[in-house]
Amino acid sequence: MTTQNSTALHIAEEVRDALAGNRPVVALESTILSHGLPAPRNHAVGVRLEEVVRAAGAVPATIAVLDGVPHIGLSESQLDRVCTEDLLKLSKRDLGAAYALHRSGATTVASTTALAHAAGIRVFGTGGLGGVHRGASETWDVSADLDVVAVTPVLVVCSGVKSILDIGATLEVMETRSVPVVGYQVDKFPAFYRRESEFDVPWRVDDAKQAAAVFAASNSGMLLANPIPHAFEMAQELHDRLLAEGLEKLRQGNVHGKDVTPVLLEHFHTGSGGVSLAANEALVVNNVQLAAEVAVELSR
Ligand code: PSU
Ligand code: MN
């Protein structure tokens, strides 16, 4: 299957109706639920994100692959499955194999973006984008998220990338791949748990209307970088300690590939006594809210 083959997608009726009526829809990913947040909090967050999208006047479409079939918009019991089953983590390249072999899995930014586009959804709200890992000049570990966003006209709203990545290199790749990077009410690219990294954003917008206008004019994928709300920003010392420990843990455990992000997130969650969990939730909710506002502007 290709993700362009919409007959291989299951689109929830509510989502299909909204798209047909040119009403706003916001895509949501499932890896953040199945691999990024512990149960049972993941379920509460999944429900909350959908509520936030609705409250802003858009329709949520949480995306996951169930028994091989990409689902665009989940029922209550399907969301339950995503939050309780031990799912695969599916990047874009895995969608064909999962389809052919009838496997279930959670979708990353890369696969969610591709599936959202295949369904006709233009806006996607999430937590953090994958990027260029530290040491990538040796390991070649660069998330497929960057390549997919570069070739898919979907607006991804996120809180930048985590400082476990090489933020400067990630921004360089997005420049090379011609992905517009736009800060939301900030001049510095956000670093997930921290509002600002040391790197400037090339463009800044100050409201959802401007963000929608830039996206509409760009005719490409785009990153809208929305910093974590002030009240939830992680203290620099705590952040730096967890990061150093987490990187050491990866080295000692010889962790590679798609396990890197989940292992690091888990370390932050256990090592911060819940501070990183609250931060993670707050920033995703905030991003999804903004994504819905932009989606509403786009459908005007
Ligand atoms: N960053 C986070 N939380 C996450 C992820 C990234 O703060 O849950 C997930 C997203 O689904 C993202 C994926 O697309 O990790 C990137 O994984 P990789 O680096 O293996 O491409
Ligand atoms: Mn990787």
Side-chain angles (χ1 to χ4, degrees), residues 142-165:
V142 178
S143 177
D145 292 356
L146 301 183
D147 275 31
V148 175
V149 172
V151 298
T152 315
V154 168
L155 173 66
V156 180
V157 183
C158 69
S159 296
V161 300
K162 273 195 297 305
S163 40
I164 62 171
L165 300 172

mmCIF file of all heavy atoms in Angstrom, residues 142-165:
data_model
loop_
_atom_site.group_PDB
_atom_site.id
_atom_site.type_symbol
_atom_site.label_atom_id
_atom_site.label_comp_id
_atom_site.label_asym_id
_atom_site.label_seq_id
_atom_site.Cartn_x
_atom_site.Cartn_y
_atom_site.Cartn_z
ATOM 1 N N VAL A 142 19.242 10.343 12.112
ATOM 2 C CA VAL A 142 18.456 11.538 11.817
ATOM 3 C C VAL A 142 17.011 11.071 11.648
ATOM 4 O O VAL A 142 16.740 10.193 10.832
ATOM 5 C CB VAL A 142 18.931 12.213 10.514
ATOM 6 C CG1 VAL A 142 18.075 13.438 10.201
ATOM 7 C CG2 VAL A 142 20.399 12.593 10.617
ATOM 8 N N SER A 143 16.110 11.627 12.431
ATOM 9 C CA SER A 143 14.721 11.165 12.381
ATOM 10 C C SER A 143 14.101 11.355 10.998
ATOM 11 O O SER A 143 14.295 12.382 10.345
ATOM 12 C CB SER A 143 13.878 11.916 13.407
ATOM 13 O OG SER A 143 12.528 11.517 13.299
ATOM 14 N N ALA A 144 13.323 10.364 10.595
ATOM 15 C CA ALA A 144 12.561 10.465 9.343
ATOM 16 C C ALA A 144 11.547 11.606 9.414
ATOM 17 O O ALA A 144 11.043 12.054 8.376
ATOM 18 C CB ALA A 144 11.853 9.144 9.057
ATOM 19 N N ASP A 145 11.250 12.081 10.623
ATOM 20 C CA ASP A 145 10.316 13.206 10.763
ATOM 21 C C ASP A 145 10.731 14.371 9.858
ATOM 22 O O ASP A 145 9.887 15.025 9.233
ATOM 23 C CB ASP A 145 10.280 13.726 12.206
ATOM 24 C CG ASP A 145 9.663 12.736 13.189
ATOM 25 O OD1 ASP A 145 9.198 11.669 12.747
ATOM 26 O OD2 ASP A 145 9.663 13.046 14.390
ATOM 27 N N LEU A 146 12.032 14.633 9.795
ATOM 28 C CA LEU A 146 12.506 15.795 9.032
ATOM 29 C C LEU A 146 12.248 15.620 7.537
ATOM 30 O O LEU A 146 11.775 16.537 6.867
ATOM 31 C CB LEU A 146 13.996 16.021 9.294
ATOM 32 C CG LEU A 146 14.394 16.257 10.752
ATOM 33 C CD1 LEU A 146 15.894 16.543 10.848
ATOM 34 C CD2 LEU A 146 13.600 17.403 11.345
ATOM 35 N N ASP A 147 12.555 14.431 7.031
ATOM 36 C CA ASP A 147 12.369 14.197 5.594
ATOM 37 C C ASP A 147 10.901 14.222 5.201
ATOM 38 O O ASP A 147 10.537 14.724 4.139
ATOM 39 C CB ASP A 147 12.962 12.838 5.193
ATOM 40 C CG ASP A 147 14.439 12.956 4.904
ATOM 41 O OD1 ASP A 147 15.083 13.822 5.542
ATOM 42 O OD2 ASP A 147 14.945 12.216 4.047
ATOM 43 N N VAL A 148 10.058 13.680 6.052
ATOM 44 C CA VAL A 148 8.633 13.628 5.699
ATOM 45 C C VAL A 148 8.018 15.025 5.760
ATOM 46 O O VAL A 148 7.269 15.419 4.849
ATOM 47 C CB VAL A 148 7.867 12.627 6.598
ATOM 48 C CG1 VAL A 148 6.379 12.683 6.308
ATOM 49 C CG2 VAL A 148 8.397 11.211 6.385
ATOM 50 N N VAL A 149 8.345 15.777 6.789
ATOM 51 C CA VAL A 149 7.800 17.142 6.873
ATOM 52 C C VAL A 149 8.282 17.961 5.663
ATOM 53 O O VAL A 149 7.562 18.818 5.149
ATOM 54 C CB VAL A 149 8.171 17.819 8.213
ATOM 55 C CG1 VAL A 149 7.768 19.284 8.220
ATOM 56 C CG2 VAL A 149 7.491 17.091 9.368
ATOM 57 N N ALA A 150 9.486 17.641 5.174
ATOM 58 C CA ALA A 150 10.034 18.384 4.035
ATOM 59 C C ALA A 150 9.266 18.142 2.736
ATOM 60 O O ALA A 150 9.293 18.984 1.846
ATOM 61 C CB ALA A 150 11.507 18.021 3.844
ATOM 62 N N VAL A 151 8.626 17.008 2.629
ATOM 63 C CA VAL A 151 7.958 16.703 1.345
ATOM 64 C C VAL A 151 6.438 16.620 1.461
ATOM 65 O O VAL A 151 5.762 16.231 0.506
ATOM 66 C CB VAL A 151 8.493 15.382 0.723
ATOM 67 C CG1 VAL A 151 9.973 15.508 0.410
ATOM 68 C CG2 VAL A 151 8.220 14.189 1.626
ATOM 69 N N THR A 152 5.895 16.973 2.624
ATOM 70 C CA THR A 152 4.447 16.806 2.846
ATOM 71 C C THR A 152 3.841 18.120 3.314
ATOM 72 O O THR A 152 4.272 18.665 4.338
ATOM 73 C CB THR A 152 4.210 15.714 3.917
ATOM 74 O OG1 THR A 152 5.050 14.597 3.629
ATOM 75 C CG2 THR A 152 2.754 15.278 3.948
ATOM 76 N N PRO A 153 2.854 18.638 2.575
ATOM 77 C CA PRO A 153 2.298 19.954 2.924
ATOM 78 C C PRO A 153 1.343 19.906 4.124
ATOM 79 O O PRO A 153 0.151 20.140 3.994
ATOM 80 C CB PRO A 153 1.582 20.375 1.638
ATOM 81 C CG PRO A 153 1.214 19.089 0.980
ATOM 82 C CD PRO A 153 2.279 18.098 1.337
ATOM 83 N N VAL A 154 1.911 19.616 5.278
ATOM 84 C CA VAL A 154 1.146 19.597 6.530
ATOM 85 C C VAL A 154 1.847 20.524 7.516
ATOM 86 O O VAL A 154 3.078 20.540 7.585
ATOM 87 C CB VAL A 154 1.058 18.156 7.098
ATOM 88 C CG1 VAL A 154 0.530 18.149 8.529
ATOM 89 C CG2 VAL A 154 0.171 17.279 6.206
ATOM 90 N N LEU A 155 1.061 21.292 8.247
ATOM 91 C CA LEU A 155 1.612 22.166 9.286
ATOM 92 C C LEU A 155 1.752 21.368 10.575
ATOM 93 O O LEU A 155 0.762 20.831 11.087
ATOM 94 C CB LEU A 155 0.672 23.348 9.524
ATOM 95 C CG LEU A 155 1.038 24.250 10.709
ATOM 96 C CD1 LEU A 155 2.347 24.984 10.470
ATOM 97 C CD2 LEU A 155 -0.075 25.240 10.996
ATOM 98 N N VAL A 156 2.979 21.272 11.094
ATOM 99 C CA VAL A 156 3.221 20.543 12.342
ATOM 100 C C VAL A 156 3.470 21.555 13.456
ATOM 101 O O VAL A 156 4.409 22.352 13.382
ATOM 102 C CB VAL A 156 4.425 19.591 12.207
ATOM 103 C CG1 VAL A 156 4.665 18.847 13.523
ATOM 104 C CG2 VAL A 156 4.208 18.596 11.064
ATOM 105 N N VAL A 157 2.610 21.529 14.467
ATOM 106 C CA VAL A 157 2.773 22.421 15.608
ATOM 107 C C VAL A 157 3.433 21.630 16.729
ATOM 108 O O VAL A 157 2.896 20.601 17.165
ATOM 109 C CB VAL A 157 1.418 22.979 16.099
ATOM 110 C CG1 VAL A 157 1.638 23.959 17.246
ATOM 111 C CG2 VAL A 157 0.653 23.636 14.956
ATOM 112 N N CYS A 158 4.605 22.069 17.175
ATOM 113 C CA CYS A 158 5.326 21.336 18.220
ATOM 114 C C CYS A 158 6.127 22.318 19.062
ATOM 115 O O CYS A 158 6.179 23.509 18.761
ATOM 116 C CB CYS A 158 6.247 20.296 17.586
ATOM 117 S SG CYS A 158 7.628 21.019 16.696
ATOM 118 N N SER A 159 6.750 21.803 20.138
ATOM 119 C CA SER A 159 7.556 22.673 21.005
ATOM 120 C C SER A 159 9.034 22.551 20.671
ATOM 121 O O SER A 159 9.885 22.443 21.547
ATOM 122 C CB SER A 159 7.303 22.338 22.472
ATOM 123 O OG SER A 159 5.964 22.621 22.803
ATOM 124 N N GLY A 160 9.321 22.538 19.385
ATOM 125 C CA GLY A 160 10.699 22.419 18.932
ATOM 126 C C GLY A 160 11.172 20.987 19.067
ATOM 127 O O GLY A 160 10.393 20.046 18.905
ATOM 128 N N VAL A 161 12.446 20.825 19.377
ATOM 129 C CA VAL A 161 12.978 19.477 19.577
ATOM 130 C C VAL A 161 13.661 19.427 20.933
ATOM 131 O O VAL A 161 14.120 20.443 21.452
ATOM 132 C CB VAL A 161 13.976 19.060 18.469
ATOM 133 C CG1 VAL A 161 13.294 19.079 17.116
ATOM 134 C CG2 VAL A 161 15.220 19.931 18.472
ATOM 135 N N LYS A 162 13.729 18.228 21.488
ATOM 136 C CA LYS A 162 14.351 18.074 22.798
ATOM 137 C C LYS A 162 15.852 18.271 22.713
ATOM 138 O O LYS A 162 16.482 17.979 21.716
ATOM 139 C CB LYS A 162 14.044 16.692 23.364
ATOM 140 C CG LYS A 162 12.725 16.693 24.131
ATOM 141 C CD LYS A 162 12.568 15.483 24.991
ATOM 142 C CE LYS A 162 12.536 14.252 24.160
ATOM 143 N NZ LYS A 162 11.526 14.270 23.114
ATOM 144 N N SER A 163 16.401 18.729 23.841
ATOM 145 C CA SER A 163 17.839 18.977 23.900
ATOM 146 C C SER A 163 18.635 17.678 23.942
ATOM 147 O O SER A 163 19.855 17.716 23.968
ATOM 148 C CB SER A 163 18.143 19.844 25.115
ATOM 149 O OG SER A 163 17.343 19.432 26.195
ATOM 150 N N ILE A 164 17.946 16.536 23.933
ATOM 151 C CA ILE A 164 18.687 15.280 23.762
ATOM 152 C C ILE A 164 19.200 15.189 22.324
ATOM 153 O O ILE A 164 20.069 14.402 22.020
ATOM 154 C CB ILE A 164 17.817 14.035 24.058
ATOM 155 C CG1 ILE A 164 16.635 13.947 23.083
ATOM 156 C CG2 ILE A 164 17.313 14.084 25.482
ATOM 157 C CD1 ILE A 164 15.875 12.644 23.167
ATOM 158 N N LEU A 165 18.624 16.028 21.460
ATOM 159 C CA LEU A 165 19.050 16.054 20.061
ATOM 160 C C LEU A 165 20.078 17.152 19.847
ATOM 161 O O LEU A 165 20.301 18.001 20.721
ATOM 162 C CB LEU A 165 17.839 16.299 19.153
ATOM 163 C CG LEU A 165 16.733 15.258 19.256
ATOM 164 C CD1 LEU A 165 15.508 15.702 18.465
ATOM 165 C CD2 LEU A 165 17.218 13.901 18.772
#
